[in-house]
Amino acid sequence: MTSPAWVPTRRRLADTALAALAPVCACVLALGGLAVWAVTGNAGTPARIGVTDARLFLPSQGVPETAAFFKITNTGGAQDRLVEVTSSEVAEGISLSSHRMTAAGAAYRRPTDSLPIPAGGTLDMSPFTSDVTVPAAARWEGGDLVPFTLRFEHSGRVEALAVVVRPGTE
């Protein structure tokens, strides 16, 4: 017994076209979204990190720590994170900190593992936002340049020279 041959009828063709419509529409929407993403410059653009305005507060006598601040700009299309800061001038003990305000208006610093740098944005460290906490060295004087290496999650290492300044004069 042989099965009858498939005969294209108007009904069968309409059902086939309707069944194919959903996946075709999904593909067109996905490709359209990817095209817009690529045209706006976001496709495949990694983080592009620049470090400027590096400064290190002159340590006060008898105070074991001071703070370094950097302006970190990301001109790329992907977020990055500052994950570590080191310096050949400091043996160890450098840490990242974010600052928080209490309900009473007092500020306190909280150690953190990383600081985010948004895509197309800036992390502008200050005594009110975030800093790099550095063990103080008595040998530093105003105007000295202290080398730092900032390590980012995706962008690798960036070298920066921080100028030693008195707090409040930057």
Side-chain angles (χ1 to χ4, degrees):
M1 176 180 245
T2 61
S3 57
W6 187 83
V7 178
T9 64
R10 182 175 261 175
R11 172 86 178 159
R12 285 183 175 170
L13 290 175
D15 289 346
T16 302
L18 191 57
L21 186 62
V24 168
C25 286
C27 287
V28 168
L29 284 173
L31 286 174
L34 287 172
V36 168
W37 186 50
V39 167
T40 58
N42 292 320
T45 58
R48 288 189 203 105
I49 299 295
V51 178
T52 58
D53 298 334
R55 58 205 190 286
L56 175 68
F57 278 175
L58 184 65
S60 298
Q61 275 205 329
V63 177
E65 296 176 331
T66 188
F69 305 95
F70 304 89
K71 183 175 186 178
I72 303 169
T73 305
N74 180 357
T75 58
Q79 176 177 303
D80 209 342
R81 300 183 81 70
L82 176 62
V83 295
E84 180 184 39
V85 178
T86 58
S87 175
S88 58
E89 296 274 325
V90 180
E92 60 184 36
I94 296 176
S95 63
L96 300 173
S97 301
S98 62
H99 301 175
R100 299 284 183 245
M101 298 298 286
T102 66
Y108 68 95
R109 78 176 178 90
R110 186 178 74 191
T112 185
D113 291 334
S114 65
L115 295 170
I117 301 93
T122 300
L123 171 63
D124 196 0
M125 294 181 182
S126 78
F128 306 104
T129 60
S130 57
D131 69 30
V132 176
T133 304
V134 181
R139 68 183 176 280
W140 291 332
E141 296 180 12
D144 286 352
L145 295 176
V146 179
F148 284 93
T149 301
L150 288 72
R151 189 170 65 83
F152 297 89
E153 184 176 42
H154 301 294
S155 299
R157 299 183 190 307
V158 175
E159 304 290 326
L161 284 174
V163 63
V164 176
V165 297
R166 285 194 187 284
T169 62
E170 77 272 6

